[in-house]
């Protein structure tokens, strides 16, 4: 059944000059039909570069918005427009504006896991793959990092700058405790531990690598080790195992399960391509300032 829907999706993608981009946490059957799977940074860059007229974005709302910010001339479709990001919802433009006014002159570094309206108020964006490079690129002694307090504290350990925090987090990465990691390490003493930078700093301190989702794939591929403990959303097991079929990946907690990342089904993708429904379009008054923040980030990554 999956194979039949996947082939109908592929035919429609071709017919509509569309490509399907999927985040690494998406369900396996979605990743298998995607033209490209990646982390947030890679997906933004791919969205900006592609010649396709239509982007079907399998991820959450902020990712489709970022694609629309970068490619206003393209049609960006999100097969489930109700797939959001609880962390992105932890900062509103109004609350951010008030905080900016309390920290005059301090640049705002905003995680891509945020709304376009929040990005529009920001100096520069970052992802889990480039947060330290972005912060260190700024000609300022202090920065405000929004909305992930864990990413901010983990980045603060890699810079001399004073980092002001916003009190948000990913509710799934935040539940992983050092005790859970230590218990997993005791059960698998030979394993290396991969943590996502959205985890608590006390968890990141135990990691052999604290990297983005695609950074985890690269690290596991290049490593001599054959067993890995993984501290991130459970969907990451599939692309890790696919990239390294001879290695073993053990998710430290099965409770790190993001429902929003699992909303899109193959049927949703098919319907979205048939009807061209689920368009995400950022209005120009928000898109233009948000684009400045996203393009500054891409420039730091490219340099
Ligand atoms: P990355 O894939 O950029 O590491 O981000 C993880 C994430 O939380 C996406 O929601
Ligand atoms: Fe947001 Fe966390 Fe879900 Fe990623 S895993 S979409 S950061 S809630």
């Amino acid at each position: 059944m999956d194979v039949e829907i996947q082939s109908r999706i592929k035919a429609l993608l071709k017919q509509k000059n569309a490509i399907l981009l999927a985040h690494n946490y998406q369900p396996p059957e979605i990743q298998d039909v995607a033209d490209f799977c990646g982390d947030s940074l890679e997906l933004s860059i791919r969205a900006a570069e592609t010649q396709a007229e239509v982007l079907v974005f399998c991820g959450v709302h902020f990712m489709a918005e970022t694609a629309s910010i970068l490619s206003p001339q393209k049609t960006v479709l999100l097969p489930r427009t109700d797939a959001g990001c609880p962390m992105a919802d932890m900062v509103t433009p109004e609350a951010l504006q008030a905080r900016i006014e309390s920290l005059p002159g301090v640049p705002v570094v905003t995680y891509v896991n945020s709304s376009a309206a929040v990005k529009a108020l920001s100096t520069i964006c970052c992802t889990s793959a480039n947060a330290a490079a972005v912060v260190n690129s700024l000609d300022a002694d202090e920065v405000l990092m929004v909305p992930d307090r864990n990413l901010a504290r983990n980045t603060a350990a890699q810079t001399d700058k004073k980092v002001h925090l916003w009190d948000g987090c990913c509710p799934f990465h935040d539940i992983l405790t050092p005790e859970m990691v230590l218990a997993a390490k005791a059960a698998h003493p030979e394993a290396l531990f991969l943590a996502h930078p959205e985890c608590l700093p006390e968890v990141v301190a135990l990691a052999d690598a604290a990297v983005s989702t695609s950074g985890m794939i690269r690290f596991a591929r290049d490593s001599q080790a054959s067993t890995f403990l993984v501290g991130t959303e459970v969907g990451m097991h599939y692309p890790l195992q696919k990239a390294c079929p001879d290695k073993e990946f053990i998710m430290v907690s099965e409770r790190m399960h993001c429902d929003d990342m699992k909303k899109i089904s193959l049927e949703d993708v098919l319907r979205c391509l048939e009807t061209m429904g689920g368009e995400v379009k950022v209005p120009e008054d928000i898109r233009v300032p948000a684009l400045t923040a996203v393009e500054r980030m891409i420039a730091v990554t490219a340099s």
Side-chain angles (χ1 to χ4, degrees), residues 23 25 39-40 62-63 111 113 128 196 198 212-213 261:
H23 186 265
Y25 295 156
D39 65 17
S40 309
F62 76 80
M63 296 180 173
Y111 196 25
N113 300 38
S128 64
H196 194 274
E198 290 174 16
S212 75
T213 55
M261 274 288 179

Side-chain angles (χ1 to χ4, degrees), residues 267-283:
E267 288 79 5
D268 293 326
V269 177
L270 184 61
R271 193 175 328 109
C272 159
L273 273 163
E274 281 169 351
T275 62
M276 297 299 277
E279 184 169 5
V280 174
K281 191 152 185 64
V282 178

Side-chain angles (χ1 to χ4, degrees), residues 164-182:
H164 299 272
L165 310 183
W166 188 272
D167 196 15
C169 66
C170 167
F172 311 105
H173 286 85
D174 201 54
I175 56 175
L176 189 64
T177 64
E179 291 72 24
M180 290 154 85
V181 177
L182 290 171

Side-chain angles (χ1 to χ4, degrees), residues 182-249:
L182 290 171
K185 281 182 176 241
H188 303 278
E190 74 293 0
L192 297 185
F193 172 48
L194 308 177
H196 194 274
E198 290 174 16
C199 292
L200 292 167
E202 297 80 357
V203 165
V204 164
L206 298 171
D208 295 287
V211 284
S212 75
T213 55
S214 289
M216 288 183 180
I217 297 174
R218 285 189 288 273
F219 185 91
R221 212 183 253 149
D222 296 345
S223 169
Q224 297 297 313
S226 57
T227 310
F228 300 86
L229 300 169
V230 185
T232 194
E233 207 276 336
V234 291
M236 201 54 211
H237 188 269
Y238 183 72
L240 282 166
Q241 197 68 74
K242 196 171 174 179
C244 308
D246 299 331
K247 301 190 179 188
E248 188 185 8
F249 297 95

